[in-house]
């Protein structure tokens, strides 16, 4: 909050002066989307079905729940204090608060959600400022310099991300707030070496996120264990690490090729996906027609799937070496069953792995619905979310005008 206010003062047209709005005090209301938090205990307590329909019937911005505080000695699944679904709520909240403060106090202007506003130089500059300040604030709050991907995704939307060098932020530690912000503005232009490229799923592919109900994992613990394992610099560990990087690039290349095919051979692409969506994967090649176009689409689907299976295998191997559950056995069983279903391209554990969530990418809505039904029968609660190419933005309506009742949490700053 303090960093955002300092940035607003530094970036306003009257830089260096106290913004008159600050003298009036600030009242910040933080509302958390239900999908960031786990509500399965409330749903189970009411003996309601664990379905996406049940979840969407809950009041918006329902009050969050907490995990039990008891920790079993030697338990590798240390639960976070708040029952979350592992979608980066802290990064999203940081980006939202920073963006709101900058919008209110400075010259920053955010796009309206769903407006399709053209990407202009001015808009990019404003989002770049929101991003830099959010990264700094998030690192300060967590007490470490992480990858920054979740913050970047919250600000810019779907993307391919290459992290910035930790030294970019580390060199600013110890600066006064005002000096820090001024340095950050220069760093964005001169030294910020992170990369991002707009990136999204190909047409007719749908993303599903599910909460298995294991309470979540402590991401810093998982990452810390893997990095400790990695630093040993043993040849076999380097081989796993490098192979994983190559496999991830293969998945990326496969999805890019599918996007290209959707544009170049759109009708054939759509037809192939519709046929594959109702067949098991071992029959996908049987629907190839005599044209090279249909063959190219099927081969791209199969290559992407095979590459992701390689990713999963290497993640399990790395988890075993680091002695942390990157893909716990219970998740492996669920994911294997999911990938055997008709119309599923691939399925896995998102982020740093662990018990937080599972995801699947399907060929169309019908396959998505089948996966959701199957997950529900196994106690996995599907979340009512989709991929969003837009990042931080202004809502068309104030959510406080809807009925939120006791779920609304406010913080006043005087």
């Amino acid at each position: 909050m303090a960093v955002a206010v300092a940035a607003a003062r530094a970036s306003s047209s009257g830089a260096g002066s106290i913004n008159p709005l600050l003298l009036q005090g600030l009242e910040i209301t933080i509302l958390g989307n239900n999908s960031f938090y786990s509500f399965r205990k409330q749903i189970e307590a009411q003996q309601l079905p664990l379905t996406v329909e049940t979840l969407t019937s809950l009041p918006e911005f329902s009050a969050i729940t907490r995990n039990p505080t008891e920790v079993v000695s030697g338990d590798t699944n240390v639960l976070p204090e708040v029952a979350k679904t592992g979608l980066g709520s802290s990064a999203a909240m940081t980006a939202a608060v920073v963006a709101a403060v900058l919008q209110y106090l400075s010259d920053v202007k955010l796009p309206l959600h769903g407006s399709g506003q053209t990407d202009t130089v001015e808009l990019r500059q404003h989002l770049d400022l929101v991003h830099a300040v959010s990264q700094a604030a998030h690192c300060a709050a967590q007490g470490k310099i992480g990858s920054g991907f979740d913050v970047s995704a919250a600000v810019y939307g779907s993307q391919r991300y290459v992290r910035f060098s930790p030294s970019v932020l580390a060199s600013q530690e110890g600066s006064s707030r005002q000096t820090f912000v001024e340095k950050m503005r220069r760093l964005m232009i001169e030294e910020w070496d992170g990369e991002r490229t707009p990136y999204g799923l190909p047409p007719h592919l749908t993303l599903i996120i599910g909460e298995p109900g294991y309470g979540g994992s402590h991401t810093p613990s998982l990452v810390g264990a893997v990095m400790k394992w990695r630093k040993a610099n043993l040849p076999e560990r380097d081989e796993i690490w490098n192979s994983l990087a190559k496999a991830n690039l293969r998945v990326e290349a496969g999805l890019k090729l599918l996007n290209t095919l959707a544009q170049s051979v759109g009708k054939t692409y759509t037809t192939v996906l519709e046929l594959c969506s109702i067949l098991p994967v071992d029959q996908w090649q049987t629907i190839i027609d005599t044209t090279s176009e249909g063959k190219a689409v099927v081969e791209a689907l199969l290559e992407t799937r095979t590459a992701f299976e390689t990713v999963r295998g290497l993640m399990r191997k790395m988890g075993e070496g680091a002695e942390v559950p990157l893909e716990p056995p219970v998740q492996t069983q669920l994911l294997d069953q999911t990938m055997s279903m008709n119309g599923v391209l691939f399925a896995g554990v998102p982020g740093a792995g662990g018990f937080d969530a599972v995801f699947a990418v399907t060929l169309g809505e019908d396959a998505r619905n089948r996966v959701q039904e199957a997950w529900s029968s196994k106690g996995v609660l599907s979340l009512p979310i989709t991929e969003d190419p837009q990042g931080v933005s202004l809502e068309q309506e104030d959510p406080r005008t809807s009925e939120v009742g006791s779920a609304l949490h406010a913080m006043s700053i005087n």
Side-chain angles (χ1 to χ4, degrees):
M1 176 65 191
V3 174
V5 171
R9 295 176 64 180
S11 61
S12 64
S13 55
S17 63
I18 297 177
N19 194 312
L21 292 173
L22 283 175
L23 300 178
Q24 302 174 24
L26 296 177
E27 181 176 305
I28 297 179
T29 301
I30 298 175
L31 302 175
N33 186 285
N34 286 354
S35 292
F36 282 122
Y37 308 102
S38 174
F39 293 96
R40 65 183 301 123
K41 289 183 179 179
Q42 293 93 315
I43 293 175
E44 290 171 343
Q46 298 179 48
Q47 298 183 338
L48 296 172
L50 287 169
T51 63
V52 66
E53 290 78 16
T54 300
L55 197 54
T56 54
S57 70
L58 296 177
E60 286 189 285
F61 315 116
S62 293
I64 61 177
T65 59
R66 299 181 181 275
N67 282 314
T69 56
E70 297 83 2
V71 177
V72 179
S73 177
D75 188 357
T76 58
N77 184 27
V78 179
L79 303 182
E81 180 183 4
V82 175
K84 299 181 180 182
T85 53
L87 297 181
S89 57
S90 62
M93 182 181 70
T94 299
V97 171
V98 167
V101 170
L102 292 177
Q103 168 82 18
Y104 182 63
L105 295 177
S106 74
D107 299 330
V108 166
K109 301 301 177 188
L110 301 173
L112 288 174
H113 184 69
S115 65
Q117 185 172 339
T118 304
D119 184 18
T120 63
V121 173
E122 182 181 41
L123 177 58
R124 286 197 297 272
Q125 290 175 341
H126 290 174
L127 290 179
D128 286 346
L129 177 60
V130 172
H131 175 240
V133 177
S134 297
Q135 291 284 13
H138 194 242
C139 289
Q142 290 199 325
K144 65 181 182 67
I145 299 175
S147 72
F149 171 70
D150 46 3
V151 172
S152 186
V155 173
Y156 298 112
S158 298
Q159 63 190 267
R160 180 189 189 276
Y161 179 80
V162 178
R163 71 163 301 170
F164 58 89
S165 300
S167 58
V168 171
L169 288 183
S171 63
Q172 310 311 315
E173 293 178 351
S175 303
S176 68
R177 288 172 184 164
Q178 196 68 25
T179 303
F180 172 84
V181 171
E182 292 171 357
K183 288 183 178 180
M184 285 298 299
R185 288 170 64 82
R186 291 200 304 272
L187 285 172
M188 284 191 305
I189 300 173
E190 300 172 6
E191 299 180 34
W192 196 269
D193 57 356
E195 299 177 19
R196 63 173 181 86
T197 306
Y199 190 80
L201 287 175
H204 307 302
L205 295 190
T206 61
L207 173 67
I208 317 170
I209 301 288
E211 181 201 346
Y214 306 124
S217 298
H218 190 246
T219 299
S221 299
L222 295 176
V223 174
V226 170
M227 295 312 296
K228 181 179 179 180
W229 168 87
R230 174 75 176 90
K231 287 179 180 178
N233 291 325
L234 298 177
E236 62 270 21
R237 298 184 184 185
D238 289 339
E239 182 180 354
I240 294 174
W241 188 270
N242 294 332
S243 297
L244 178 59
K246 292 177 182 178
N248 278 320
L249 289 176
R250 285 175 55 200
V251 175
E252 177 190 351
L255 293 174
K256 281 185 175 179
L257 178 56
L258 288 169
N259 260 320
T260 300
L261 291 169
Q263 296 175 9
S264 61
V265 294
K267 186 175 180 179
T268 300
Y269 171 89
T270 301
T271 300
V272 168
L273 260 66
E274 288 176 348
L275 292 172
C276 288
S277 71
I278 58 175
L279 295 172
V281 65
D282 59 2
Q283 295 183 27
W284 287 5
Q285 287 186 315
T286 65
I287 58 100
I288 295 177
D289 55 25
T290 57
T291 68
S292 60
E293 295 176 352
K295 182 179 179 180
V297 175
V298 172
E299 289 180 347
L301 289 170
L302 292 173
E303 163 59 17
T304 305
R305 179 185 172 96
T306 299
F308 195 82
E309 288 176 326
T310 302
V311 169
R312 282 186 57 202
L314 291 168
M315 287 289 288
R316 289 194 298 270
K317 195 170 184 179
M318 188 165 60
E320 291 168 2
E323 298 182 343
V324 288
L326 298 185
E327 186 183 291
V330 65
Q331 305 281 59
T332 297
Q333 182 180 8
L334 173 65
L335 295 173
D336 289 346
Q337 292 171 349
T338 301
M339 289 191 66
S340 69
M341 296 180 63
N342 295 355
V344 174
L345 184 58
F346 54 77
V349 180
F355 296 89
D356 281 338
V358 290
F359 77 92
V361 173
T362 67
L363 309 182
E365 293 295 332
D366 288 344
R368 173 193 175 99
N369 293 338
R370 290 195 295 269
V371 170
Q372 288 179 334
E373 291 176 6
W375 281 1
S376 178
S377 69
K378 299 178 185 299
V380 179
L381 179 60
S382 298
L383 304 180
I385 56 176
T386 58
E387 179 199 17
D388 189 349
Q390 185 172 24
V392 67
S393 57
L394 292 177
E395 294 287 347
Q396 300 279 4
E397 298 179 359
D398 187 340
R400 292 174 298 179
T401 61
S402 62
E403 184 179 353
V404 295
S406 60
L408 188 147
H409 304 274
M411 174 177 65
S412 297
I413 302 176
N414 298 313

